Amino acid sequence: MIDRDGFRPNVGIILVNDENRLFWGRRIGQDAWQFPQGGIQEGESPEEAMYRELEEEVGLKSHQVKLLGCTRRWLRYRLPKKFIRRNAQPLCIGQKQRWFLLQVICDESGFCLDGSEKPEFDDWRWVKYWQPAKDVIYFKRRVYQRALEELAPLIFPDARPVSRSRSNYLRQQRR
């Protein structure tokens, strides 16, 4: 499914543990790290897609997590020209994503990266909250930053709001 503007509807999943650290997965066979994410299928709601992708990519089921919240609107990123498949129709120029924040309520033995036909990740670790916005592939950084900023109050209710300016963002990271 590609919308009329060329964006593929997608969900992003931010998993947080009881130490407020985030799941960070390494893409299979690559030195590229990201949050779980995936496309929304025809007739599927973003929440249904999120739970399907959660199970496919990390092996967790809905009873092993607690839904804390999601972004209010779609967050978009454009693919760099070299990643656009020009021969595909309709043409996909990027993704629009709804981001979900989930508290992991099971132990780590619940994670299973190779339970689906096409595994997405071959390794994972827990990282500090702001690290993914710095370490994800360059064209996804702004979307990661915006999702993390919007969802941060759900787990850091007493923290001051994070500014989108680079200098404030970096100051916030050092805390």
Side-chain angles (χ1 to χ4, degrees):
M1 291 185 353
I2 308 295
D3 73 12
R4 65 177 188 195
D5 297 321
F7 290 89
R8 178 178 175 235
N10 189 284
V11 294
I13 303 168
I14 302 170
L15 295 166
V16 61
N17 69 11
D18 57 1
E19 296 174 353
N20 292 332
R21 295 204 171 242
L22 306 181
F23 173 95
W24 197 225
R26 184 175 66 194
R27 298 206 46 176
I28 199 158
Q30 301 177 37
D31 187 28
W33 294 76
Q34 69 176 46
F35 290 133
Q37 68 175 60
I40 299 173
Q41 297 175 356
E42 186 80 35
E44 193 175 45
S45 73
E47 188 170 329
E48 290 167 336
M50 179 270 297
Y51 283 117
R52 178 183 48 75
E53 290 291 338
L54 178 68
E55 187 169 356
E56 288 176 7
E57 295 194 2
V58 297
L60 296 179
K61 297 183 179 0
S62 62
H63 70 275
Q64 295 173 300
V65 295
K66 177 183 175 188
L67 176 58
L68 300 178
C70 71
T71 55
R72 290 182 301 278
R73 51 182 81 87
W74 296 100
L75 302 180
R76 290 174 168 73
Y77 70 82
R78 288 182 175 269
L79 291 166
K81 289 181 182 179
K82 67 183 177 183
F83 293 121
I84 295 175
R85 296 179 189 140
R86 299 277 175 206
N87 58 345
Q89 291 301 320
L91 184 65
C92 176
I93 63 166
Q95 294 192 2
K96 64 179 185 180
Q97 300 175 314
R98 275 318 232 325
W99 283 89
F100 292 85
L101 179 63
L102 305 172
Q103 176 78 47
V104 175
I105 56 175
C106 65
D107 60 40
E108 292 180 6
S109 65
F111 287 82
C112 176
L113 302 183
D114 61 358
S116 69
E117 216 171 278
K118 284 186 69 178
E120 183 74 26
F121 302 116
D122 60 14
D123 195 13
W124 68 278
R125 62 183 179 222
W126 295 112
V127 297
K128 291 180 180 178
Y129 191 83
W130 296 108
Q131 183 177 335
K134 180 181 65 146
D135 291 346
V136 74
I137 192 165
Y138 69 94
F139 61 87
K140 294 183 182 180
R141 285 186 187 143
R142 182 157 166 76
V143 164
Y144 270 50
Q145 183 179 347
R146 289 175 62 204
L148 290 168
E149 286 174 1
E150 184 174 339
L151 299 170
L154 298 173
I155 58 174
F156 302 110
D158 298 326
R160 69 173 195 192
V162 178
S163 168
R164 287 206 173 123
S165 79
R166 184 168 172 78
S167 61
N168 283 344
Y169 168 72
L170 293 174
R171 266 199 302 273
Q172 188 74 14
Q173 267 192 320
R174 287 194 290 261
R175 292 180 173 205

